Amino acid sequence: MAHAVALGIDIGGSGIKGAPVDLATGEFLQPRLKIATPAPSTPAAVAKIVDQIADEFTDDLPADAPIGVTIPGVVQHGVVRTAANIDKAWIDAEGEKIFSDAIGRKCLLVNDADAAGVAEQRYGAAKGAQGLVILTTLGTGIGIALLHNGVLIPNCEMGHMELNGHDAETRAASSIKDKEELSYQEWAHKRLQPYYKKLEDLLWPDLIVVGGGVSRKHHKFLPLLDLRTPIVPAALENQAGIVGAAALAAD
Ligand code: BGC
Protein backbone atom coordinates (compact mmCIF):
# COMPACT_ATOMS: atom_id res chain seq x y z
CA MET A 1 0.00 0.00 0.00
CA ALA A 2 1.19 3.53 -0.70
CA HIS A 3 2.51 5.40 2.32
CA ALA A 4 0.43 8.31 3.62
CA VAL A 5 3.17 9.95 5.64
CA ALA A 6 6.96 10.12 5.60
CA LEU A 7 9.59 12.00 7.56
CA GLY A 8 11.81 14.48 5.70
CA ILE A 9 15.07 15.91 7.06
CA ASP A 10 16.94 18.64 5.16
CA ILE A 11 20.60 19.37 5.92
CA GLY A 12 21.49 22.96 5.07
CA GLY A 13 24.44 25.26 5.63
CA SER A 14 22.94 26.97 8.68
CA GLY A 15 20.25 24.58 9.92
CA ILE A 16 19.10 20.97 9.87
CA LYS A 17 15.31 20.85 9.61
CA GLY A 18 12.79 18.05 9.76
CA ALA A 19 9.06 17.43 9.75
CA PRO A 20 6.57 14.66 9.03
CA VAL A 21 4.96 15.21 5.64
CA ASP A 22 1.45 14.35 4.44
CA LEU A 23 2.27 12.78 1.08
CA ALA A 24 -1.15 13.53 -0.39
CA THR A 25 -0.77 17.27 0.02
CA GLY A 26 2.93 17.90 0.65
CA GLU A 27 2.03 19.68 3.89
CA PHE A 28 3.69 19.31 7.28
CA LEU A 29 1.73 17.26 9.81
CA GLN A 30 3.55 18.90 12.71
CA PRO A 31 5.61 22.10 12.97
CA ARG A 32 9.13 21.52 11.72
CA LEU A 33 12.06 21.21 14.10
CA LYS A 34 15.23 23.14 13.23
CA ILE A 35 18.61 22.68 14.91
CA ALA A 36 21.72 24.66 13.96
CA THR A 37 24.15 22.84 11.67
CA PRO A 38 27.19 21.88 13.76
CA ALA A 39 30.56 23.42 12.91
CA PRO A 40 32.53 21.62 11.68
CA SER A 41 29.76 19.73 9.87
CA THR A 42 31.49 16.35 10.08
CA PRO A 43 29.51 13.14 9.40
CA ALA A 44 29.43 12.18 13.09
CA ALA A 45 28.29 15.63 14.27
CA VAL A 46 25.60 15.93 11.57
CA ALA A 47 24.36 12.36 12.14
CA LYS A 48 23.84 13.14 15.83
CA ILE A 49 21.54 16.06 15.00
CA VAL A 50 19.69 14.08 12.32
CA ASP A 51 19.02 11.37 14.90
CA GLN A 52 17.80 13.99 17.38
CA ILE A 53 15.33 15.34 14.81
CA ALA A 54 14.13 11.85 13.81
CA ASP A 55 13.62 11.00 17.50
CA GLU A 56 11.31 13.97 17.91
CA PHE A 57 8.85 12.62 15.34
CA THR A 58 9.21 8.85 14.90
CA ASP A 59 7.13 7.95 18.00
CA ASP A 60 4.06 9.57 16.42
CA LEU A 61 4.61 7.97 13.00
CA PRO A 62 3.74 4.51 11.70
CA ALA A 63 6.63 2.10 12.32
CA ASP A 64 7.17 1.71 8.58
CA ALA A 65 7.01 5.42 7.71
CA PRO A 66 9.80 6.15 5.19
CA ILE A 67 12.57 8.58 6.16
CA GLY A 68 14.35 10.78 3.61
CA VAL A 69 17.42 12.91 4.31
CA THR A 70 19.04 15.51 2.03
CA ILE A 71 22.64 16.63 1.80
CA PRO A 72 24.18 19.49 -0.22
CA GLY A 73 26.38 17.24 -2.34
CA VAL A 74 26.27 14.56 -5.04
CA VAL A 75 24.81 11.28 -3.73
CA GLN A 76 25.51 8.10 -5.70
CA HIS A 77 23.98 4.90 -4.36
CA GLY A 78 23.95 6.27 -0.83
CA VAL A 79 27.53 7.53 -0.96
CA VAL A 80 28.27 11.28 -0.79
CA ARG A 81 30.68 12.28 -3.56
CA THR A 82 31.16 16.04 -3.24
CA ALA A 83 31.16 18.58 -0.43
CA ALA A 84 31.38 22.13 -1.78
CA ASN A 85 29.78 23.73 1.27
CA ILE A 86 29.98 21.07 3.98
CA ASP A 87 32.89 19.45 5.79
CA LYS A 88 35.23 17.71 3.32
CA ALA A 89 35.10 14.55 5.46
CA TRP A 90 31.78 13.88 3.67
CA ILE A 91 33.56 13.07 0.41
CA ASP A 92 33.11 9.33 -0.19
CA ALA A 93 31.35 8.90 3.17
CA GLU A 94 28.60 6.27 3.20
CA GLY A 95 26.00 8.87 4.09
CA GLU A 96 22.92 6.73 3.77
CA LYS A 97 24.41 4.06 6.05
CA ILE A 98 25.68 6.66 8.53
CA PHE A 99 22.20 8.18 8.91
CA SER A 100 20.41 4.81 8.91
CA ASP A 101 22.74 3.58 11.68
CA ALA A 102 22.32 6.79 13.69
CA ILE A 103 18.51 6.74 13.46
CA GLY A 104 18.25 2.97 13.82
CA ARG A 105 15.99 2.79 10.78
CA LYS A 106 16.62 2.57 7.06
CA CYS A 107 16.58 5.97 5.38
CA LEU A 108 17.13 7.34 1.88
CA LEU A 109 19.80 9.97 1.21
CA VAL A 110 19.35 12.42 -1.69
CA ASN A 111 20.87 15.63 -2.97
CA ASP A 112 19.15 18.69 -1.46
CA ALA A 113 18.29 20.38 -4.78
CA ASP A 114 16.94 17.12 -6.21
CA ALA A 115 14.62 16.85 -3.21
CA ALA A 116 13.45 20.44 -3.63
CA GLY A 117 12.85 19.89 -7.35
CA VAL A 118 10.70 16.82 -6.74
CA ALA A 119 8.68 18.76 -4.13
CA GLU A 120 8.05 21.67 -6.51
CA GLN A 121 7.10 19.30 -9.33
CA ARG A 122 4.65 17.29 -7.22
CA TYR A 123 3.17 19.94 -4.95
CA GLY A 124 4.47 23.37 -5.90
CA ALA A 125 5.34 25.80 -8.67
CA ALA A 126 5.93 23.11 -11.30
CA LYS A 127 2.90 20.97 -10.44
CA GLY A 128 1.60 19.42 -13.66
CA ALA A 129 4.43 20.92 -15.74
CA GLN A 130 5.52 18.78 -18.69
CA GLY A 131 8.83 18.74 -20.55
CA LEU A 132 12.06 19.80 -18.90
CA VAL A 133 11.74 21.59 -15.57
CA ILE A 134 14.87 23.00 -13.93
CA LEU A 135 14.76 23.93 -10.29
CA THR A 136 17.59 26.16 -9.12
CA THR A 137 18.19 26.87 -5.44
CA LEU A 138 20.02 30.09 -4.70
CA GLY A 139 21.62 29.96 -1.26
CA THR A 140 25.09 29.26 0.10
CA GLY A 141 25.70 27.54 -3.24
CA ILE A 142 23.59 26.92 -6.32
CA GLY A 143 21.69 23.66 -6.48
CA ILE A 144 20.04 22.25 -9.59
CA ALA A 145 17.35 19.66 -10.14
CA LEU A 146 16.41 18.40 -13.60
CA LEU A 147 13.02 16.79 -14.09
CA HIS A 148 11.76 15.55 -17.42
CA ASN A 149 8.02 14.90 -17.57
CA GLY A 150 8.16 14.58 -13.79
CA VAL A 151 11.07 12.12 -13.75
CA LEU A 152 14.13 13.24 -11.80
CA ILE A 153 17.55 13.05 -13.45
CA PRO A 154 19.65 13.19 -10.27
CA ASN A 155 22.89 14.94 -9.36
CA CYS A 156 22.96 17.69 -11.98
CA GLU A 157 25.75 19.94 -10.70
CA MET A 158 25.34 22.85 -13.09
CA GLY A 159 25.53 25.21 -10.14
CA HIS A 160 29.25 24.72 -10.70
CA MET A 161 29.27 25.33 -14.45
CA GLU A 162 31.92 27.68 -15.75
CA LEU A 163 30.83 31.31 -15.88
CA ASN A 164 33.34 33.85 -17.20
CA GLY A 165 36.22 31.75 -15.89
CA HIS A 166 34.66 31.11 -12.48
CA ASP A 167 32.67 28.38 -10.73
CA ALA A 168 29.17 29.86 -11.26
CA GLU A 169 28.04 29.46 -7.66
CA THR A 170 30.97 31.60 -6.47
CA ARG A 171 29.56 34.43 -8.63
CA ALA A 172 25.80 34.02 -8.60
CA ALA A 173 24.72 32.32 -5.34
CA SER A 174 22.71 34.52 -2.99
CA SER A 175 25.46 34.16 -0.35
CA ILE A 176 27.74 35.99 -2.81
CA LYS A 177 25.18 38.78 -3.25
CA ASP A 178 25.31 39.21 0.53
CA LYS A 179 29.08 38.88 0.81
CA GLU A 180 29.81 41.39 -1.95
CA GLU A 181 26.92 43.61 -0.84
CA LEU A 182 25.45 43.64 -4.35
CA SER A 183 22.09 45.33 -4.89
CA TYR A 184 19.31 43.16 -6.32
CA GLN A 185 19.79 45.01 -9.59
CA GLU A 186 23.55 44.39 -9.75
CA TRP A 187 23.10 40.76 -8.78
CA ALA A 188 20.33 40.20 -11.35
CA HIS A 189 22.01 41.98 -14.25
CA LYS A 190 25.64 41.01 -13.74
CA ARG A 191 25.40 37.58 -12.15
CA LEU A 192 22.00 35.92 -12.56
CA GLN A 193 21.35 37.05 -16.13
CA PRO A 194 24.52 35.45 -17.62
CA TYR A 195 24.04 32.37 -15.44
CA TYR A 196 20.44 31.67 -16.41
CA LYS A 197 21.15 32.59 -20.05
CA LYS A 198 23.87 29.97 -20.25
CA LEU A 199 21.70 27.42 -18.47
CA GLU A 200 18.80 27.90 -20.90
CA ASP A 201 21.11 27.86 -23.93
CA LEU A 202 22.65 24.56 -22.84
CA LEU A 203 19.55 22.74 -21.61
CA TRP A 204 16.53 24.34 -23.32
CA PRO A 205 14.14 23.91 -20.40
CA ASP A 206 10.38 24.51 -20.57
CA LEU A 207 10.25 26.03 -17.11
CA ILE A 208 12.75 27.32 -14.55
CA VAL A 209 11.77 27.42 -10.87
CA VAL A 210 13.85 29.53 -8.48
CA GLY A 211 14.06 28.38 -4.87
CA GLY A 212 16.21 29.07 -1.83
CA GLY A 213 15.49 31.59 0.92
CA VAL A 214 15.99 34.57 -1.40
CA SER A 215 13.11 33.38 -3.61
CA ARG A 216 10.81 35.09 -1.10
CA LYS A 217 12.14 38.35 -2.59
CA HIS A 218 11.60 37.17 -6.18
CA HIS A 219 9.81 40.38 -7.23
CA LYS A 220 13.12 42.22 -6.69
CA PHE A 221 15.13 40.21 -9.19
CA LEU A 222 13.15 37.81 -11.38
CA PRO A 223 11.44 40.61 -13.38
CA LEU A 224 14.91 41.99 -14.24
CA LEU A 225 15.93 38.81 -16.10
CA ASP A 226 15.61 38.61 -19.88
CA LEU A 227 15.16 34.93 -20.82
CA ARG A 228 13.14 32.97 -23.33
CA THR A 229 12.16 30.40 -20.67
CA PRO A 230 9.37 31.15 -18.19
CA ILE A 231 11.02 31.63 -14.78
CA VAL A 232 8.93 31.50 -11.61
CA PRO A 233 9.54 31.53 -7.84
CA ALA A 234 9.32 28.29 -5.88
CA ALA A 235 6.06 27.78 -4.03
CA LEU A 236 7.39 25.74 -1.11
CA GLU A 237 10.40 27.97 -0.38
CA ASN A 238 12.45 26.48 2.44
CA GLN A 239 10.08 23.57 3.04
CA ALA A 240 10.86 22.03 -0.34
CA GLY A 241 13.89 20.00 0.80
CA ILE A 242 11.99 18.35 3.64
CA VAL A 243 8.93 17.63 1.49
CA GLY A 244 10.97 16.23 -1.42
CA ALA A 245 13.10 14.05 0.84
CA ALA A 246 9.95 12.56 2.36
CA ALA A 247 8.34 12.05 -1.06
CA LEU A 248 11.41 10.36 -2.57
CA ALA A 249 11.81 8.09 0.45
CA ALA A 250 8.23 6.93 -0.05
CA ASP A 251 8.67 6.16 -3.78
C1 BGC B 1 26.48 21.44 -4.27
C2 BGC B 1 25.17 20.81 -4.70
C3 BGC B 1 24.03 21.35 -3.87
C4 BGC B 1 24.01 22.87 -3.91
C5 BGC B 1 22.93 23.47 -3.06
C6 BGC B 1 26.35 22.95 -4.31
O1 BGC B 1 27.52 23.54 -3.85
O2 BGC B 1 27.55 21.04 -5.09
O3 BGC B 1 25.24 19.41 -4.60
O4 BGC B 1 22.82 20.85 -4.35
O5 BGC B 1 25.27 23.38 -3.50
O6 BGC B 1 23.10 23.17 -1.72
Side-chain angles (χ1 to χ4, degrees):
M1 216 184 79
H3 295 281
V5 46
L7 180 63
I9 299 176
D10 188 27
I11 299 173
S14 60
I16 303 179
K17 301 156 278 182
V21 176
D22 178 339
L23 296 169
T25 61
E27 279 162 16
F28 290 172
L29 289 161
Q30 287 180 48
R32 67 161 203 195
L33 174 64
K34 178 176 176 177
I35 298 178
T37 306
S41 50
T42 56
V46 171
K48 207 168 144 196
I49 308 273
V50 165
D51 177 39
Q52 213 177 320
I53 293 176
D55 253 6
E56 178 79 14
F57 300 109
T58 39
D59 280 355
D60 296 336
L61 295 176
D64 65 343
I67 303 175
V69 181
T70 78
I71 196 139
V74 168
V75 181
Q76 270 184 324
H77 315 292
V79 179
V80 180
R81 295 294 188 192
T82 68
N85 296 302
I86 41 167
D87 195 88
K88 301 295 176 231
W90 277 106
I91 295 174
D92 292 337
E94 290 189 47
E96 197 167 273
K97 184 172 185 306
I98 290 169
F99 291 128
S100 299
D101 289 350
I103 298 172
R105 277 170 63 164
K106 178 93 194 77
C107 66
L108 177 80
L109 185 64
V110 292
N111 171 263
D112 58 351
D114 284 345
V118 165
E120 292 294 337
Q121 175 93 56
R122 295 196 192 170
Y123 310 103
K127 193 171 175 183
Q130 289 296 302
L132 183 63
V133 173
I134 303 184
L135 170 104
T136 63
T137 62
L138 302 174
T140 310
I142 297 183
I144 299 279
L146 291 185
L147 293 118
H148 187 252
N149 290 340
V151 177
L152 176 71
I153 298 136
N155 292 316
C156 177
E157 285 286 322
M158 290 185 90
H160 297 289
M161 83 186 168
E162 191 264 4
L163 193 64
N164 302 327
H166 298 270
D167 176 340
E169 77 169 19
T170 67
R171 304 287 291 164
S174 68
S175 61
I176 304 301
K177 173 192 177 296
D178 296 343
K179 198 167 133 200
E180 296 185 19
E181 297 179 359
L182 302 174
S183 66
Y184 279 100
Q185 203 169 9
E186 287 169 321
W187 184 48
H189 286 151
K190 297 192 183 139
R191 307 293 173 89
L192 296 181
Q193 175 63 31
Y195 179 68
Y196 282 109
K197 186 85 203 95
K198 189 162 181 183
L199 201 59
E200 73 170 2
D201 284 347
L202 291 177
L203 293 172
W204 286 81
D206 294 282
L207 176 67
I208 301 174
V209 180
V210 179
V214 75
S215 67
R216 256 178 259 126
K217 302 267 172 69
H218 59 91
H219 50 279
K220 296 195 176 184
F221 61 94
L222 288 189
L224 304 179
L225 301 181
D226 179 19
L227 302 166
R228 78 176 84 84
T229 315
I231 184 163
V232 298
L236 301 168
E237 291 179 357
N238 279 341
Q239 301 194 0
I242 296 175
V243 173
L248 281 166
D251 278 356

